[in-house]
């Protein structure tokens, strides 16, 4: 070990440029990781002592800026957005991979629009939502307007990940299903989709992460009312919007720290979950390749015979 | 019967595929229809090149915001691009497996932290730090640039890492075989070959920096004048919308939507140039 280091050191002495490059690369990685650790540690250390039980009271007042209503509203908006975005995203991905012919013009156009959608800043989504859902469709500042806006925002994400997951399902599965006499629809729903579930799930989890973190798109669509929503037509703030509003007033710095802790914990949990789903994908493709190998072996035997 | 079901579902899938196209068209229609009349009423040149934004006096010039967005984005790139690319090189070519896994998780987590949390961190840590270290009020171009530089890191890192990994191993081995050290081989054969992918990552980072709203608003000071130094306050296109949308009416409101139109066109140009670039590379 020491000998190896010594040899390396001698090589660097003869070639200082390599050493500088090596140092700069390590330094950059160190800055990245330290910045993240600093942000998280700072928020946690300052925030955890402020996590008092009355912040989880079911009622928001100016004396007690409870975050529980906002947390529950976040859950509502999340479920509602997924309700719109997931079926549409999966349906679109199914059309693009299973039905459209290769080189189809529509596939190309949908690809471009999805790319455009994923590049649009959230404030532009917010403005569009307030012009279209709030004003034009007359939904008002409401959970529904907010959720519809967010569902357009996460649609490209869910579409893209589902498309990738569907494409990674080997064609031999489809051929096998057709060979056994199943129709297209049955093949899609009972053969292809189940294999793609982990991939779709990781897309959905990433979408949830975006919903939880979003604030700019929600202020002008779902509004900032700090109470638990009673229906999908009532205005409500999510946790991110809540944190933004109380940080602006300057009176609730402690509570803002506490809210930041809750947001961070949620985000860390979501990340862990998506990591878990990604591992599942790894497992799945492994299994697939195992079958594929078996298929190949059987195929080989047949040609031999 | 079965045939009908197949046909109906095919139609349904087809319709869902059209949703994203419809969304883009609707966004364009609604933004342009509400923004362009206002821009016309104010005058295109007065709107784009006017240096004073005083809604109370009916002055709607967004040049300070355009310049502000440009400064802040450029600052973010100066900080984010070198650190991002070097970190990507470390992850793809230097990190042992035991360091790689936590680093990868950290970068993913960094991408997931909400912008309000970044903004709040900037407000309580970066703003006082810059006030004490460099003077001024602390809410400045510099503060916003540093914060945005951090925020675009994960985008640049993950795209660059993917493209560095996509370079054929033979390039690296060729470098070694000619007697180059590990570092020289990585930097002078692998990195140039990954150039186009890294460039794509930087462009995505630009898009993210231009579009970021809440974090910038919390640390940039938001004065609607062209900043005269790194330490003076700045207002970007995005923050202009959020700051005044809540109470604006009539032409003021439409001028804000006009601001969004300008922002939207900028983003479209960035996206378009990226896809043109990708096609040229192919």
């Amino acid at each position: 070990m020491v000998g190896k280091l010594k040899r390396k050191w001698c090589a660097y002495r003869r070639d200082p440029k390599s050493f500088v490059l090596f140092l700069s690369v390590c330094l950059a990685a160190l800055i990245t990781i330290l910045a993240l650790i600093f942000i998280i540690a700072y928020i946690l250390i300052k925030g955890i002592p402020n996590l008092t039980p009355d912040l989880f009271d079911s009622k928001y007042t100016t004396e007690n800026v409870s975050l529980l209503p906002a947390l529950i509203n976040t859950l509502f908006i999340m479920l509602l957005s997924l309700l719109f975005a997931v079926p549409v995203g999966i349906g679109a991905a199914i059309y693009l991979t299973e039905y459209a012919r290769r080189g189809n013009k529509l596939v190309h156009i949908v690809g471009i629009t999805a790319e455009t959608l994923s590049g649009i800043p959230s404030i532009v989504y917010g403005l569009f939502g307030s012009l279209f859902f709030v004003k034009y469709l007359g939904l008002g500042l409401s959970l529904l307007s907010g959720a519809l806006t967010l569902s357009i925002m996460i649609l490209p994400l869910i579409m893209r990940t589902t498309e990738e997951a569907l494409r990674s399902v080997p064609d031999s599965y489809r051929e096998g299903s057709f060979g056994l006499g199943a129709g297209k629809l049955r093949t899609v729903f009972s053969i292809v989709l189940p294999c793609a579930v982990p991939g779709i799930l990781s897309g959905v989890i990433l979408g949830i992460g975006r919903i939880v973190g979003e604030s700019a798109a929600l202020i002008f669509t779902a509004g900032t009312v700090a109470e638990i929503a009673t229906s999908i037509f009532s205005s409500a703030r999510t946790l991110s919007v809540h944190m933004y509003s109380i940080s602006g007033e300057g009176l609730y710095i402690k509570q803002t720290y506490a809210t930041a802790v809750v947001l961070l914990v949620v985000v860390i949990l979501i990340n862990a979950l998506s990591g878990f789903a990604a591992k599942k994908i790894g497992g799945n493709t492994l299994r697939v390749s195992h079958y594929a190998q078996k298929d190949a072996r059987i195929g080989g035997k047949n040609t031999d015979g | 019967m079965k045939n009908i079901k197949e046909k109906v579902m095919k139609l349904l899938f087809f319709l869902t595929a059209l949703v994203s196209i419809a969304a883009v068209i609707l966004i364009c229609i609604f933004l342009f229809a509400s923004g362009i009349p206002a821009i016309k009423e104010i005058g295109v040149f007065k709107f784009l090149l006017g240096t004073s934004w005083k809604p109370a006096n009916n002055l709607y010039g967004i040049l300070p915001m355009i310049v502000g967005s440009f400064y802040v984005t450029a600052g973010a790139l100066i900080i984010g691009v070198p650190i991002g690319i070097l970190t990507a090189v470390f992850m793809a070519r230097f990190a042992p497996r035991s360091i790689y896994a936590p680093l990868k998780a950290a970068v993913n987590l960094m991408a997931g932290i909400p912008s309000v949390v970044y903004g709040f961190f900037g407000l309580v840590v970066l703003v006082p730090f810059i006030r004490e270290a460099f003077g001024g009020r602390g809410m400045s171009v510099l503060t916003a640039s540093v914060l945005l530089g951090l925020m675009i890191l994960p985008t640049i890192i993950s795209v660059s890492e993917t493209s560095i990994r996509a370079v054929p191993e033979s390039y690296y081995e060729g470098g070694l075989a000619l007697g180059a050290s590990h570092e020289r081989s990585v930097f002078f054969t692998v990195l140039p070959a990954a150039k186009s992918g890294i460039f794509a990552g930087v462009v995505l980072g630009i898009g993210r920096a231009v579009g970021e709203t809440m974090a910038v608003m919390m640390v940039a000071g938001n004065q609607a004048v062209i900043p005269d130094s790194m330490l003076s306050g700045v207002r970007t296109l995005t923050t202009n919308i959020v700051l005044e949308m809540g109470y604006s009416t009539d032409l003021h409101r439409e001028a804000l939507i006009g601001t969004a139109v300008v922002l939207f066109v900028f983003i479209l140009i960035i996206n378009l140039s990226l896809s043109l670039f990708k096609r040229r590379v192919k």
Side-chain angles (χ1 to χ4, degrees):
Chain A
M1 184 71 197
V2 175
K4 205 176 157 194
L5 273 179
K6 208 171 180 182
R7 226 174 317 138
K8 191 119 213 205
W9 175 241
C10 283
Y12 280 141
R13 291 257 316 255
R14 263 181 280 126
D15 184 8
K17 195 167 174 184
S18 288
F19 187 57
V20 171
L21 290 175
F22 176 70
L23 269 190
S24 58
V25 162
C26 292
L27 192 70
L30 206 64
I31 291 174
T32 305
I33 193 100
L34 283 184
L36 178 74
I37 290 175
F38 184 53
I39 293 174
I40 291 178
Y42 192 88
I43 299 274
L44 289 185
I45 290 169
K46 287 269 198 173
I48 287 175
N50 292 316
L51 269 181
T52 49
D54 47 335
L55 276 181
F56 295 93
D57 200 84
S58 62
K59 201 110 192 93
Y60 172 97
T61 56
T62 40
E63 287 96 57
N64 176 27
V65 287
S66 168
L67 60 82
L68 190 69
L71 194 61
I72 293 171
N73 290 333
T74 310
L75 201 69
F76 286 159
I77 283 215
M78 186 186 93
L79 291 176
L80 216 52
S81 313
L82 292 179
L83 196 70
F84 297 125
V86 171
V88 173
I90 293 180
I94 288 176
Y95 185 80
L96 295 180
T97 52
E98 308 295 323
Y99 285 89
R101 277 190 216 102
R102 282 204 185 146
N104 189 328
K105 204 140 211 166
L106 185 78
V107 179
H108 188 63
I109 296 173
V110 171
I112 291 177
T113 52
E115 215 162 280
T116 311
L117 280 181
S118 58
I120 295 177
S122 50
I123 178 63
V124 173
Y125 277 111
L127 261 190
F128 165 72
S130 86
L131 288 171
F132 183 64
F133 296 121
V134 176
K135 289 270 161 60
Y136 186 76
L137 295 185
L139 299 175
L141 285 177
S142 62
L143 273 188
L144 190 60
S145 303
L148 284 168
T149 310
L150 287 189
S151 59
I152 297 180
M153 233 173 100
I154 62 168
L155 181 64
L157 188 74
I158 291 179
M159 221 164 79
R160 184 88 43 87
T161 43
T162 307
E163 218 185 311
E164 265 167 40
L166 290 178
R167 282 198 203 285
S168 72
V169 177
D171 273 339
S172 57
Y173 284 30
R174 298 182 181 92
E175 285 153 14
S177 169
F178 290 142
L180 290 172
K184 185 119 196 168
L185 207 57
R186 193 176 200 129
T187 306
V188 168
F189 276 109
S190 38
I191 306 291
V192 181
L193 265 186
C195 291
V197 163
I200 297 172
L201 212 60
S202 80
V204 171
I205 294 169
L206 281 177
I208 293 176
R210 261 195 98 176
I211 294 170
V212 170
E214 190 47 58
S215 41
L218 284 173
I219 293 176
F220 304 121
T221 55
T224 52
V225 173
E227 274 152 35
I228 299 176
T230 47
S231 80
I232 53 170
F233 293 108
S234 49
S235 161
R237 57 163 72 155
T238 64
L239 202 55
S240 288
V241 177
H242 174 74
M243 183 177 159
Y244 167 68
S245 345
I246 62 174
S247 76
E249 287 159 36
L251 299 167
Y252 307 113
I253 288 294
K254 282 182 182 166
Q255 289 86 338
T256 314
Y257 275 118
T259 313
V261 170
V262 176
L263 260 179
L264 264 186
V265 169
V266 171
V267 167
I268 290 172
L269 280 180
I270 289 171
N271 260 280
L273 257 181
S274 82
F276 184 72
K279 241 180 220 156
K280 263 279 179 65
I281 301 173
N284 203 31
T285 47
L286 256 181
R287 218 175 60 221
V288 167
S289 65
H290 173 71
Y291 280 127
Q293 267 173 16
K294 229 178 181 174
D295 289 348
R297 257 206 324 270
I298 292 165
K301 245 182 209 161
N302 279 349
T303 47
D304 282 348
Chain B
M1 185 61 210
K2 201 177 159 200
N3 217 346
I4 291 174
K5 201 173 153 198
E6 295 266 350
K7 284 230 165 85
V8 168
M9 285 308 281
K10 184 177 176 182
L11 187 71
L12 212 62
F13 290 142
F14 178 69
L15 289 179
T16 55
L18 294 184
V19 168
S20 68
I21 301 177
V24 171
I25 294 174
L26 275 177
I27 291 175
C28 287
I29 290 177
F30 272 83
L31 276 186
F32 290 145
S34 338
I36 288 183
I39 299 179
K40 264 198 190 137
E41 196 179 327
I42 298 160
V44 177
F45 287 105
K46 263 192 181 165
F47 184 67
L48 289 177
L49 301 175
T51 51
S52 52
W53 173 270
K54 288 182 184 125
N57 304 342
N58 251 343
L59 285 171
Y60 300 102
I62 60 165
L63 189 66
M65 279 66 97
I66 295 178
V67 173
S69 277
F70 178 76
Y71 280 173
V72 169
T73 304
L77 291 181
I78 290 172
I79 292 163
V81 169
I83 298 181
I85 294 177
L86 287 173
T87 306
V89 172
F90 181 79
M91 286 171 74
R93 284 290 172 178
F94 285 83
R97 194 169 287 177
S98 56
I99 298 180
Y100 178 77
L103 198 57
K104 184 81 192 162
V107 172
N108 284 341
L109 182 58
M110 222 169 166
I113 294 179
S115 47
V116 265
V117 174
Y118 275 112
F120 183 64
F121 172 79
L123 187 68
V124 293
V125 176
L126 286 179
V127 169
F129 173 77
I130 287 188
R131 185 165 51 219
E132 258 141 57
F134 301 101
R137 290 184 49 233
M139 292 192 174
S140 62
V141 179
L142 182 65
T143 327
S145 300
V146 172
L147 191 64
L148 271 181
L150 280 182
M151 290 178 74
I152 62 172
L153 270 183
T155 311
I156 296 179
I157 292 175
S158 41
V159 178
S160 305
E161 194 209 332
T162 315
S163 62
I164 292 171
R165 281 189 190 278
V167 174
E169 195 65 16
S170 56
Y171 283 41
Y172 169 71
E173 284 161 0
L176 285 191
L178 289 172
S181 66
H182 172 66
E183 289 81 4
R184 281 174 187 262
S185 197
V186 168
F187 272 88
F188 301 115
T189 61
V190 176
L191 211 51
K195 199 170 53 189
S196 61
I198 293 174
F199 181 73
V202 173
V203 173
L204 281 178
I206 294 177
R208 191 152 180 217
V210 172
E212 182 50 53
T213 315
M214 306 313 268
V216 176
M217 182 157 73
M218 290 162 93
V219 300
N222 302 325
Q223 294 92 331
V225 286
I226 296 177
D228 48 15
S229 83
M230 291 285 285
L231 296 174
S232 46
V234 64
R235 183 188 286 198
T236 62
L237 288 168
T238 50
T239 50
N240 192 37
I241 302 167
V242 181
L243 283 165
E244 297 181 3
M245 198 65 195
Y247 60 84
S248 63
T249 49
D250 305 333
L251 186 61
H252 183 194
R253 187 181 164 82
E254 281 165 27
L256 291 176
I257 298 170
T259 314
V261 169
V262 174
L263 177 70
F264 187 57
V265 170
F266 277 154
I267 295 286
L268 283 186
I269 292 172
I270 292 172
N271 276 349
L272 207 69
S273 56
L274 184 64
S275 51
L276 280 180
F277 174 77
K278 269 185 192 161
R279 190 168 301 165
R280 218 193 63 195
V281 168
K282 263 181 199 167

